[in-house]
Amino acid sequence: MTLRFGYGTNGLTDLRLDDALALLADLGYDGVGLTLDHMHLDPLAPHLAERTRKVAKRLAELGLDVTVETGARYVLDPRRKHGPSLLGPDPQDRARRTDLLLRAVRVAADLGAQAVHCFSGIVPPSVDEPGTAWQRLAVSLTPVLEAADAAGVPLAVEPEPGHLLATLADFHHLRGLLGDPPALGLTLDIGHCQCLEPLPPQDCVRAAAPWLRHVQIEDMRRGVHDHLPFGEGEIDFPSVLAALDTSGYQGLTVVELPRHSHAGPHHATTSLPFLRRAADTPPATAPKRSAP
């Protein structure tokens, strides 16, 4: 297989960024999913371009590729998780989230990143008409997509359980609203597929392949949005990784364990051997799971 594995820094928040990057390089990872947050590369602190150049130099020294992720919980608001969103009632709040994504595009371009990840946000209680939320999302993302297109870095939107854009079908709805812009791609979280998609995760990979720009991976159970260490959920990883390998996907497959930072070095150490074993296991030897 030609798959390339990374680990997300949102699962290593107790480590300094340089220490996290050195750990991943020492363990043999191909890259990193870099979440822009206050404890690592703070997108709101002064001298962002200068700090980004230093990170780019370090990544090059360590031989690590990178994707830029924007799912930090409190980077914009210390009181509201993932707030403000692209869907809120206040235009200035929505503009703050758009500005964060524009900063992420600039960071990604300076790092030579493969993609910028984002998600839609949860529909506010004040929104009675779904069309209103979709319109806000489309308007908010338009300048980000224009910047991403100019920078040559795809914007990879992630279907997130509980959000407006929660499924692959929702991603295609957004594509239609925006007129299928070339910079718009997809982040596929394999656990989310297990959690709520009608198709098994390996079939989701095949269906998503033409738009796939970023992949996150962890274990998960059906109907429960809880990112689990490998082996603690229900996912057939040999089949998933085989589907990724044959799909033509060229990006990083990034381990996503944000709630396990307290044991981040341990999970980073054990996750890569698990994935490599699964990648070397023929799918036919794994238990077959029927579609839910």
Side-chain angles (χ1 to χ4, degrees):
M1 282 192 176
T2 58
L3 295 177
R4 298 159 58 247
F5 296 114
Y7 200 94
T9 59
N10 62 358
L12 295 168
T13 56
D14 290 324
L15 275 67
R16 298 178 182 87
L17 179 57
D18 192 69
D19 291 338
L21 298 179
L23 170 69
L24 298 181
D26 287 345
L27 292 174
Y29 283 91
D30 301 293
V32 58
L34 175 58
T35 296
L36 302 183
D37 207 348
H38 64 87
M39 75 287 289
H40 287 149
L41 184 56
D42 188 341
L44 304 181
H47 312 300
L48 178 59
E50 179 182 345
R51 290 183 288 113
T52 300
R53 283 193 293 272
K54 292 180 180 178
V55 174
K57 180 181 178 182
R58 187 60 174 149
L59 289 167
E61 291 171 350
L62 295 171
L64 292 172
D65 290 328
V66 62
T67 53
V68 171
E69 302 191 357
T70 61
R73 293 182 179 94
Y74 297 100
V75 66
L76 289 177
D77 190 323
R79 298 172 183 264
R80 291 182 292 170
K81 181 181 177 182
H82 298 315
S85 81
L86 300 172
L87 309 178
D90 186 339
Q92 292 184 339
D93 270 357
R94 298 198 297 272
R96 289 178 62 205
R97 178 63 60 172
T98 295
D99 177 69
L100 176 67
L101 296 179
L102 289 170
R103 289 170 181 258
V105 169
R106 292 194 292 271
V107 167
D110 290 345
L111 292 178
Q114 298 173 356
V116 173
H117 149 280
C118 72
F119 46 54
S120 67
I122 296 170
V123 179
S126 59
V127 175
D128 297 326
E129 171 54 50
T132 299
W134 283 109
Q135 183 64 20
R136 288 176 182 174
L137 180 61
V139 170
S140 297
L141 285 181
T142 293
V144 184
L145 287 162
E146 292 171 352
D149 188 50
V153 181
L155 182 71
V157 180
E158 178 187 6
E160 181 80 20
H163 284 211
L164 172 68
L165 197 157
T167 65
L168 288 173
D170 293 333
F171 168 75
H172 291 301
H173 181 66
L174 178 65
R175 283 180 57 232
L177 287 177
L178 291 169
D180 201 14
L184 179 63
L186 174 70
T187 292
L188 190 68
D189 187 299
I190 300 303
H192 295 173
C193 296
Q194 178 68 27
C195 179
L196 54 70
E197 292 285 354
L199 295 173
Q202 58 268 27
D203 291 340
C204 291
V205 169
R206 297 183 185 100
W211 302 276
L212 203 53
R213 301 294 179 267
H214 183 42
V215 173
Q216 297 172 342
I217 194 165
E218 68 285 313
D219 219 338
M220 203 169 287
R221 300 187 182 99
R222 183 69 180 168
V224 182
H225 185 202
D226 187 8
H227 291 234
L228 300 173
F230 297 110
E232 296 185 14
E234 302 169 342
I235 295 176
D236 175 0
F237 286 102
S239 294
V240 168
L241 296 178
L244 271 175
D245 189 48
T246 58
S247 72
Y249 174 65
Q250 298 295 312
L252 291 170
T253 298
V254 174
V255 179
E256 182 81 356
L257 291 173
R259 297 180 183 177
H260 292 77
S261 275
H262 63 283
H266 165 74
H267 290 295
T269 300
T270 58
S271 292
L272 186 57
F274 179 95
L275 289 170
R276 285 175 171 168
R277 287 193 302 270
D280 290 338
T281 302
T285 68
K288 294 185 178 180
R289 302 184 186 276
S290 59

